[in-house]
Amino acid sequence: GAIVERTDNVTRSATDDISDTVLGVVTDFGWGQNSDRLTAELQGNLAYYDYTSDLYDTEVVGSALGRFDIQISPERFAWLFEDTFGQARVDELAPVTADNRQNVNVFTTGPRFNVRFGSRNSGSLEATYCDTNYAVSAEDNNSTAARLSVGRRVVSRVTLSLNGTVEKIDYTDDALFPDYDEEELFIGSEITGA
């Protein structure tokens, strides 16, 4: 759709208000496929903004998600590819304006294994690699994670599980953002429909 927006403070400044008219075009898109071997989706939105006062350059902003979950051996072994794109503030303490916005891209991939031990017990092992990139900020990082879950169906619709996660986060700029590791151990429960 088309947008015409009039603002009396386009810079979101506490002083020196500047008026502007912003013209824009916004569109959404989406596609999906679901089969025994592939679950896939693409969705997002794009917006084109023209600041008539020329205080800010014309810009294209938006967000997108692409996800492909490939069942190599259905219900046993799958591989995930996922990419998300969007914008974030450069300065988290400042208001969102055209000059305080940056593109952020996150790519994630990894395998997932599922196994059953008899009719009541199950297990899953998942490993992921994630690469996060910021257009301006120095927060670029990659992470690796492993997740293990062992579950037991205790009654017909209730499964209890013991879950563990280990994750390592590695920042490109170690001086500003030190690397760190996280470990989690927790008990979960799942109730399925009637």
Side-chain angles (χ1 to χ4, degrees), residues 36-172:
D36 290 343
R37 295 278 183 175
L38 176 67
T39 302
E41 67 176 307
L42 293 171
Q43 61 182 349
N45 60 69
L46 287 174
Y48 168 87
Y49 297 120
D50 180 28
Y51 299 87
T52 59
S53 70
D54 293 328
L55 178 65
Y56 297 123
D57 291 336
T58 298
E59 66 175 344
V60 176
V61 297
S63 63
L65 164 70
R67 180 182 176 95
F68 297 87
D69 198 354
I70 302 167
Q71 297 291 324
I72 297 166
S73 176
E75 298 185 23
R76 289 190 184 92
F77 176 41
W79 201 289
L80 172 70
F81 296 92
E82 181 177 88
D83 194 85
T84 60
F85 173 83
Q87 284 76 46
R89 295 181 198 186
V90 176
D91 180 351
E92 290 293 329
L93 301 177
V96 175
T97 60
D99 62 355
N100 189 34
R101 187 172 17 233
Q102 65 180 323
N103 291 331
V104 180
N105 194 77
V106 180
F107 173 74
T108 305
T109 187
R112 183 178 63 253
F113 301 92
N114 296 311
V115 65
R116 299 202 64 80
F117 307 104
S119 62
R120 299 179 67 143
N121 302 310
S122 62
S124 67
L125 175 63
E126 180 179 344
T128 56
Y129 170 80
C130 180
D131 185 40
T132 304
N133 292 288
Y134 291 81
V136 178
S137 300
E139 298 174 65
D140 293 358
N141 68 82
N142 59 57
S143 64
T144 52
R147 297 170 188 86
L148 176 64
S149 178
V150 177
R152 178 168 175 83
R153 188 166 37 100
V154 291
V155 293
S156 64
R157 296 185 302 131
V158 178
T159 301
L160 296 179
S161 61
L162 179 62
N163 307 276
T165 302
V166 177
E167 184 172 14
K168 178 177 179 51
I169 295 89
D170 182 18
Y171 285 94
T172 303

